[in-house]
Amino acid sequence: MIGAGTVIDAASARMAVDAGARFLVSPSLDPEVIRTGHRYGLPVFPGVATPTEAVHAMELGADALKLFPASAYGPRWVSDVRAALPQAAVIPTGGVTLAEAPDWIAAGAVACGMGSALSEGDRDTVAKRAAELLARLADVAPPLDSAHEPY
């Protein structure tokens, strides 16, 4: 599934929709990005960095919350925020490493956004790296509950 990242306004959201994106990711919280994505049936993951922004994003209908930049925080941020907001579906992005990804998931993140840490190299290298990461994540991830909606 292919989505669009760094969607910062309604115009770029619409361009991503027209290009075939299946979800939108933003480094910031812009209500128009959420509205545009939802108008076309796409999930939207706006960037947040505080509990106040997280609550505001959920009130606007965000499908999940991109913690950005994750490297400025740490897995403890997720567990602390989810203690007060257990319905917050957090996706740390920006500086998440292969070594740290299981810690983020164990802290309560629903996913991790990764760039070159995961995708750098040829096809075989990336496939091996992804398989190893998935095996490590399986050890810490909670069981899937298909009946549960984040919000």
Side-chain angles (χ1 to χ4, degrees):
M1 180 183 302
I2 296 178
T6 316
V7 177
I8 60 171
D9 55 26
S12 59
R14 179 57 195 261
M15 288 176 15
V17 168
D18 290 345
R22 304 294 296 163
F23 60 90
L24 304 177
V25 182
S26 179
S28 60
L29 176 55
D30 182 328
E32 290 301 313
V33 171
I34 296 172
R35 276 194 216 70
T36 302
H38 287 175
R39 182 176 301 125
Y40 295 97
L42 274 62
V44 182
F45 315 135
V48 301
T50 67
T52 300
E53 290 176 343
V55 169
H56 187 61
M58 289 187 293
E59 288 172 345
L60 292 170
D63 298 285
L65 310 170
K66 173 184 173 174
L67 172 61
F68 182 77
S71 60
Y73 299 90
R76 180 75 186 258
W77 187 95
V78 174
S79 58
D80 289 349
V81 168
R82 291 200 71 234
L85 303 169
Q87 72 276 32
V90 179
I91 304 171
T93 305
V96 174
T97 67
L98 293 168
E100 296 170 339
D103 297 334
W104 286 102
I105 298 299
V110 299
C112 291
M114 298 176 139
S116 62
L118 183 61
S119 64
E120 190 171 63
D122 63 31
R123 183 183 193 104
D124 291 338
T125 301
V126 172
K128 181 180 177 195
R129 190 179 299 132
E132 289 170 358
L133 177 60
L134 288 172
R136 290 180 53 222
L137 293 175
D139 292 338
V140 298
L144 293 176
D145 178 2
S146 61
H148 175 71
E149 291 289 327
Y151 9 96

